[in-house]
Amino acid sequence: PEKFDYIEDVVCKETDIKENEMKLLPLGEDGGKILLIKQKGELHAIGTKCTHYGALLHTGALGDGRIRCPWHGACFNIKTGDIEDYPGLNSLPCYQVNVDENGLVRVKAKRKDLDSSRRVKKMWKQDVNNNTTVVIVGGGPAAATCAESLRQEAFTGKIIMISKENALPYDRVKVSKTFDINIEQAALRPQSFYNEHKIETNLGVEAIGLNTDQNVVQLSNNEKLTYNYLFICTGSKARVLNIPGVDLSNIHVLRSYTDSHAINSKLLADKHVIIFGLGFIGMEAAAFCINKCASVTVIGRGTVPLEAVFGREIGNRIRQQFEEKGVKFIFGRKIEQFIAKEEEEKEKKMKKKGEESAVGRIVLTDGEILPADIVIIGIGSTFYTDWLKDSSIKMLEDGSIAVDKYLKTNVENVYAGGDIAYAPLFGSDNISAAIGHYSLAHYHGKIAALNICAKSTALNTVPFFWTTLFGKSYRYAGYGKPEKIRIYGSLENLEFFAYYIKDGKIIAISSVGADPVVSDFANFLYEGKTLTEAEINKDPFGWIKNKPKDLQERFQNELMN
């Protein structure tokens, strides 16, 4: 009987929950839980865990009408449970709430929703008589979100996704964090999902040309696709070195799961790993490799890892964190040459035709020679837009594509998103930028879909990114180059948050061990508010709505710099 498909019970008294409070409460006797929220006098009950990686949302940041995950910034509508910002694709279940005449709060939920704590928004069916075609060129998070958002926004025409990789869109952030990534488990959706919703996936195929007059995309397999709307989200490709010996084997960039697998297959206890680059790719790779090989040496042109993002003080603490784990650093130098293994040099004449020589050593700009069995190059990326050079799409000198706040290019029916989109930043005084953030790419996919469906929607999101290094999670929200940084808490204990200040305003916040401060700040900016240096001088914690545990005690010390 249907009544057994539901659980209904009293979860608390109405007086037990205050305005703007979130409560994790049990429902029924089977261990089910719901998240009860009171805002503007109304009660709402939704799923308890973020659909991305499962963070408990009552530990997140409650904003105006939405709750933001404390870990990676995904946002959910508190009334409907719908996902509104990313990462992740699934929405939360939403439960019925009633207050009876005795002031008791009753919640009614489907058992299956309680068990899964996630749902897919309603997907419209394809209409075979609707010949309107959307072609999506790209196979990353922007493509995945665009494709399913089109169906969720009642688009019933044809959807074709073109991906250069031989894999469905997957959780790309894992590429540099876990080299043993299981590509099927990392897929954002299985093939069956795309089949069910009539989303055509063309894998291992590249777009090589575009004619916007004829609305035609030329593919590497000689096929030509005609579109009514085009969404370009081809992402980035790893920057490579142009120096002697770069063609030797065991020299890798780190962009796709195949790169991760190739490196992982060679990571043995006697191998010396060289990493060139002090950014996220380099540091995440070093953290993964250090316990699996003989040595890890990180070489950088700068003098502090991740300084460009977090600043010098935090960057130096990260360096210390890595050195404590055995990672060596060489600063202010570059790789000048790769040299093959000595024994292979001697045996070169005996090698069979077509066999590759492997790298064995590197030469630095000051002449120092280091052993190198595996080299990972993580020196940034360039945009995957070469194929558009002869098209009428307006691009900047760096290869990014200029778009407006609706992600529309200079061509009426062509949109661009993800890494390649030089797009306006919400709430940033008319700044545009191309930002390679995983969450932002997801969001761009949704905005492109809404605008293709004639549901005019401007970009309205706050850049949010994260990394995890040796079990410590670093989070950051905002954008811009600060004039100064103010840090509260303890760098030594890796328990702090930092304000990034420009022109008297806080343009960004980073944190470790201070959740949900960064999510709270992202909500703050999203709601159109401005935090000034004068305000934090008066009270560095006054603006925080969702305060971390023991805030005053743990973060009272300001680290002057």
Side-chain angles (χ1 to χ4, degrees), residues 199-211:
I199 296 165
E200 205 177 303
T201 54
N202 290 7
L203 306 180
V205 182
E206 211 172 336
I208 58 171
L210 174 64
N211 184 325

Side-chain angles (χ1 to χ4, degrees), residues 123-134 150-151 154-160 194-200:
M123 305 279 283
W124 290 66
K125 286 188 164 54
Q126 183 184 9
D127 177 356
V128 290
N129 298 314
N130 183 350
N131 293 319
T132 308
T133 301
V134 177
L150 285 167
R151 287 282 182 252
F155 178 75
T156 60
K158 203 171 181 184
I159 303 171
I160 305 171
Y194 295 110
N195 294 346
E196 181 187 348
H197 299 293
K198 301 293 186 286
I199 296 165
E200 205 177 303

Side-chain angles (χ1 to χ4, degrees), residues 109-184:
K110 288 180 184 173
R111 278 182 193 276
K112 67 178 179 64
D113 288 345
L114 270 183
D115 292 342
S116 73
S117 197
R118 60 180 57 204
R119 66 179 170 86
V120 178
K121 280 177 74 175
K122 182 193 170 184
M123 305 279 283
W124 290 66
K125 286 188 164 54
Q126 183 184 9
D127 177 356
V128 290
N129 298 314
N130 183 350
N131 293 319
T132 308
T133 301
V134 177
V135 171
I136 300 168
V137 182
T145 312
C146 182
E148 65 180 80
S149 295
L150 285 167
R151 287 282 182 252
Q152 289 165 0
E153 298 301 332
F155 178 75
T156 60
K158 203 171 181 184
I159 303 171
I160 305 171
M161 191 194 300
I162 307 298
S163 175
K164 183 175 180 285
E165 286 190 77
N166 273 308
L168 294 168
Y170 60 92
D171 190 349
R172 195 178 291 279
V173 295
K174 289 182 174 173
V175 163
S176 54
K177 292 179 173 68
T178 52
F179 294 178
D180 51 358
I181 176 175
N182 180 316
I183 191 59
E184 286 181 1

Side-chain angles (χ1 to χ4, degrees), residues 464-504:
F464 191 114
F465 64 88
W466 67 92
T467 187
T468 301
L469 304 170
F470 298 117
K472 294 290 182 181
S473 291
Y474 294 75
R475 316 197 197 287
Y476 181 104
Y479 181 79
K481 198 167 182 180
E483 293 158 354
K484 51 183 159 178
I485 301 169
R486 290 177 58 177
I487 303 168
Y488 291 83
S490 169
L491 275 180
E492 186 56 39
N493 298 336
L494 286 172
E495 195 172 72
F496 65 85
F497 64 89
Y499 291 115
Y500 297 81
I501 303 163
K502 185 179 181 183
D503 299 330

Side-chain angles (χ1 to χ4, degrees), residues 405-423:
K405 63 183 178 181
Y406 305 104
L407 293 180
K408 193 179 284 186
T409 67
N410 60 306
V411 179
E412 185 64 25
N413 59 340
V414 180
Y415 297 79
D419 296 8
I420 62 172
Y422 184 78

Side-chain angles (χ1 to χ4, degrees), residues 189-362:
R189 297 289 191 202
Q191 185 64 57
S192 57
F193 177 89
Y194 295 110
N195 294 346
E196 181 187 348
H197 299 293
K198 301 293 186 286
I199 296 165
E200 205 177 303
T201 54
N202 290 7
L203 306 180
V205 182
E206 211 172 336
I208 58 171
L210 174 64
N211 184 325
T212 54
D213 293 329
Q214 295 178 7
N215 290 349
V216 169
V217 178
Q218 174 73 50
L219 303 182
S220 55
N221 61 1
N222 293 324
E223 196 181 339
K224 289 184 178 179
L225 289 179
T226 303
Y227 61 85
N228 297 95
Y229 297 95
L230 177 66
F231 180 45
I232 305 169
C233 49
T234 39
S236 304
K237 53 186 172 183
R239 204 181 287 278
V240 293
L241 290 172
N242 184 19
I243 59 173
V246 75
D247 294 329
L248 292 169
S249 67
N250 296 350
I251 298 172
H252 302 272
V253 294
L254 199 45
R255 181 67 196 165
S256 73
Y257 77 97
T258 52
D259 299 326
S260 299
H261 287 177
I263 297 166
N264 196 52
S265 67
K266 295 159 190 166
L267 267 182
L268 301 170
D270 63 342
K271 301 299 181 189
H272 297 282
V273 176
I274 297 287
I275 295 169
F276 186 41
L278 297 170
F280 284 110
I281 297 289
M283 301 316 291
E284 289 172 355
F288 182 82
C289 292
I290 189 60
N291 292 326
K292 299 171 180 66
C293 57
S295 72
V296 174
T297 304
V298 179
I299 298 163
R301 290 172 284 197
T303 55
V304 179
L306 294 169
E307 180 181 12
V309 179
F310 294 119
R312 179 165 282 268
E313 282 73 24
I314 295 170
N316 272 323
R317 180 63 185 91
I318 291 169
R319 173 186 56 76
Q320 185 188 342
Q321 187 189 9
F322 273 70
E323 286 174 341
E324 286 165 1
K325 299 289 183 183
V327 176
K328 301 184 192 81
F329 286 94
I330 295 175
F331 295 117
R333 280 180 270 176
K334 295 190 281 190
I335 300 173
E336 196 163 75
Q337 185 183 353
F338 297 106
I339 301 173
K341 286 184 177 171
E342 284 183 53
E343 61 270 23
E344 292 195 358
E345 282 287 317
K346 291 170 189 169
E347 294 167 14
K348 215 172 202 177
K349 292 171 187 172
M350 297 166 62
K351 287 177 82 70
K352 292 175 188 170
K353 195 177 178 184
E355 273 191 42
E356 289 181 302
S357 291
V359 68
R361 291 164 294 156
I362 61 162

